[in-house]
Amino acid sequence: MNTGEWPTWAERSLSGARLQTYATAAGGRSAAIRLYWWNIEVSAAFYGPLHCLEVALRNALHGALMHRFGRPDWWSIAPLDADGARLVSDAQTKCGRRINHRPATADDVVAELSFGFWVKLLSRRYDRTFWVPALHRAFPRGSGRRDDLHRQFTTMMLLRNRISHHEPIHHRRLEADHATLFRLLDLLNADLSAEARQLDRVPTVLKQRQDTCAGLRTPQF
């Protein structure tokens, strides 16, 4: 039912309650809808660099742990905690359901494991078992303090999750998020980071926020 506060299409499909948070941030209903579109635009722009970061992290950590334990399914003998072991088991089950013509490979399981799984491997819980003997080597340009690295990757994971669940990110310090993302990508693979920067449109979209919300440009997904 249209309350009269929003166009019928917006009330019905986007939800007036959801749009009200944008109205508060933008200072009005018309600007709220434009901010909503810009939020999608900037979320889409972040998707590519975040994709590179997540895939680079999981492959780097997988490579280091595979070398440490001497087998591609290192999780079979590594001292994962109960939650980590559960996530691996869930990933194996999902692979088994999706791939019914052959056994799931280690690469299948690696691709199925969540960003959160890989970020947790950098936590204090695994400092002596994974970080000290193996995972610090996943960052060829140096990593700094493990706890700082874990904190920064956690920030990126939360940003990625908000984008994946279509949540607002316009209120975040997105310039700082962008800088953190590429700083981490530089640590993992400087060549990939340089390539991603050539394709990155986040800085351009950030600069266009004011004009978009003022109605001076039309955002693009």
Side-chain angles (χ1 to χ4, degrees):
M1 178 179 179
N2 187 7
T3 64
E5 294 182 355
W6 303 100
T8 300
W9 63 266
E11 179 74 28
R12 179 179 301 162
S13 296
L14 301 182
S15 148
R18 180 180 178 86
L19 286 171
Q20 188 56 47
T21 63
Y22 288 84
T24 300
R29 291 194 298 273
S30 296
I33 293 176
R34 291 193 290 267
L35 178 59
Y36 190 91
W37 298 140
W38 183 85
N39 190 82
I40 297 176
E41 183 178 30
V42 75
S43 295
F46 265 104
Y47 178 85
L50 283 168
H51 172 115
C52 293
L53 183 66
E54 180 173 354
V55 172
L57 177 68
R58 77 188 187 197
N59 286 328
L61 299 190
H62 172 58
L65 290 170
M66 185 167 56
H67 182 266
R68 166 67 173 167
F69 292 100
R71 53 191 294 175
D73 61 339
W74 52 266
W75 47 81
S76 299
I77 59 174
L80 289 167
D81 65 12
D83 185 58
R86 177 186 59 80
L87 291 173
V88 169
S89 179
D90 289 348
Q92 291 171 323
T93 299
K94 290 178 182 178
C95 287
R97 290 172 181 166
R98 189 178 67 252
I99 307 170
N100 54 21
H101 63 285
R102 62 171 173 80
T105 66
D107 285 341
D108 293 328
V109 176
V110 167
E112 190 67 47
L113 287 165
S114 68
F115 197 9
F117 172 85
W118 299 105
V119 171
K120 187 179 180 182
L121 297 185
L122 301 174
S123 68
R124 181 180 179 183
R125 165 68 179 80
Y126 293 111
D127 186 71
R128 293 298 173 185
T129 52
F130 289 169
W131 177 257
V132 172
L135 292 187
H136 69 280
R137 296 189 177 92
F139 302 89
R141 302 186 68 187
S143 61
R145 291 172 54 93
R146 179 205 50 75
D147 54 346
D148 288 340
L149 191 70
H150 179 247
R151 176 181 52 78
Q152 291 174 62
F153 269 109
T154 299
T155 298
M156 293 298 97
M157 178 189 68
L158 295 175
L159 173 63
R160 182 260 195 202
N161 289 348
R162 290 195 69 84
I163 290 172
S164 296
H165 290 93
H166 317 307
E167 295 294 333
I169 64 169
H170 61 80
H171 61 287
R172 295 177 61 97
R173 295 176 59 242
L174 293 175
E175 292 85 355
D177 284 331
H178 184 258
T180 297
L181 195 163
F182 274 95
R183 181 165 58 250
L184 294 174
L185 199 53
D186 281 339
L187 294 177
L188 286 164
N189 189 320
D191 292 334
L192 172 61
S193 182
E195 186 74 12
R197 283 186 186 277
Q198 295 297 315
L199 305 172
D200 178 29
R201 59 192 180 93
V202 170
T204 298
V205 176
L206 292 177
K207 291 176 183 177
Q208 293 170 336
R209 174 173 177 163
Q210 185 173 351
D211 285 348
T212 302
C213 292
L216 300 178
R217 69 173 289 271
T218 301
Q220 295 180 319
F221 301 162

